[in-house]
Amino acid sequence: MQAIVETLFDAIYLITVITLGILMIARSHGNRQYRLFGIMAIVLGLGDSFHLIPRAIALCTSGLEHFTVALGIGKLITSITMTIFYILLYHVWRTRYRINGNRQTTAIVYLLSLFRILLCLCPQNQWLSTTPPLQWGIYRNIPFALLGLMIIILFFREAKEHNDTAFRWMWLTIVLSFGFYIPVVLWAETFPMIGMLMIPKTCAYVWTVVIGYRAMRLEAFRKVS
């Protein structure tokens, strides 16, 4: 039952975010903000697919223990693409609110992202092990959490200042995604049921993409009107 429900959920998720990403790129009509958002959605979906597809195959066949290598490589790729996702989201923020300069913030975003990716690439993570060390799961997520916190603050401030109703909940989607993700990193190995929090975490990311897609549709409607 778990295999069917989880596989169906993941398939709907991947198809949804990748489809919305393609539609946003196709309908952006030169609008850099929505083109970036579309690329961001595709990066999210394709990156997660490297982990979710092997997991679905494992659940529906011989079990997770027989797919350790594929799942480990998938988690590594997903960790890197999620970092790229937040870099793109940062540039969506800059474009939407016409942020010029602010080089210090940009430098911090890229330094945290680079640090996160380098930590992910360290062999001490033991991605191909059935029991990877918890401490390295924490280490590599520290710069990631700081990056997420920066994006939360940036979107919260600008959406409030500009009375941006279309993006008013963008900050909350990121808060929720990290709020559900952090307990999984810390305690999922000890309490497997905590892994179920990945479902609402995934829904938070879908909400992020939907916010961008709806904003694009709304803007297009206003132009026609």
Side-chain angles (χ1 to χ4, degrees):
M1 188 62 180
Q2 177 193 354
I4 296 173
V5 173
E6 188 173 326
T7 300
L8 183 60
F9 174 83
D10 290 341
I12 293 172
Y13 158 63
L14 293 176
I15 292 170
T16 299
V17 295
I18 292 173
T19 300
L20 290 178
I22 292 171
L23 289 174
M24 291 182 77
I25 293 173
R27 299 175 182 177
S28 62
H29 302 300
N31 187 310
R32 185 171 185 269
Q33 174 194 168
Y34 297 120
R35 186 171 66 251
L36 277 172
F37 219 116
I39 295 170
M40 186 182 80
I42 292 173
V43 167
L44 173 67
L46 291 181
D48 279 354
S49 69
F50 280 94
H51 170 63
L52 295 179
I53 291 176
R55 181 176 174 85
I57 295 172
L59 288 173
C60 294
T61 55
S62 55
L64 298 175
E65 64 276 6
H66 293 96
F67 287 79
T68 302
V69 173
L71 290 170
I73 294 173
K75 287 179 182 178
L76 170 59
I77 294 173
T78 298
S79 297
I80 294 173
T81 55
M82 281 307 307
T83 309
I84 296 171
F85 172 90
Y86 279 104
I87 294 174
L88 292 169
L89 187 55
Y90 168 72
H91 284 285
V92 168
W93 170 80
R94 289 184 63 92
T95 305
R96 184 172 185 84
Y97 300 111
R98 297 179 175 87
I99 306 297
N100 296 313
N102 213 345
R103 293 181 179 178
Q104 185 176 7
T105 302
T106 302
I108 294 172
V109 166
Y110 275 93
L111 284 173
L112 286 173
S113 301
L114 179 61
F115 192 33
R116 152 80 167 178
I117 292 172
L118 290 175
L119 285 173
C120 288
L121 293 173
C122 289
Q124 290 88 343
N125 287 286
Q126 298 182 35
W127 292 106
L128 306 185
S129 171
T130 54
T131 55
L134 173 61
Q135 63 267 32
W136 273 88
I138 296 173
Y139 296 158
R140 66 177 179 265
N141 279 299
I142 290 174
F144 188 51
L146 292 174
L147 176 62
L149 179 60
M150 281 191 65
I151 303 299
I152 289 166
I153 294 171
L154 293 174
F155 270 102
F156 179 81
R157 287 179 175 175
E158 292 298 327
K160 186 176 181 180
E161 181 178 335
H162 290 82
N163 194 26
D164 187 357
T165 55
F167 272 53
R168 68 185 181 276
W169 299 122
M170 180 63 75
W171 67 273
L172 181 58
T173 69
I174 306 167
V175 169
L176 291 174
S177 65
F178 275 95
F180 291 124
Y181 175 63
I182 290 173
V184 173
V185 172
L186 295 176
W187 300 302
E189 290 296 326
T190 306
F191 306 102
M193 284 300 294
I194 290 180
M196 294 295 290
L197 291 176
M198 293 299 283
I199 293 176
K201 173 247 185 187
T202 300
C203 292
Y205 279 118
V206 174
W207 188 12
T208 302
V209 174
V210 168
I211 284 175
Y213 182 73
R214 290 182 65 184
M216 183 187 72
R217 291 283 302 274
L218 181 61
E219 189 172 311
F221 177 77
R222 286 173 177 170
K223 287 180 179 178
V224 172
S225 301

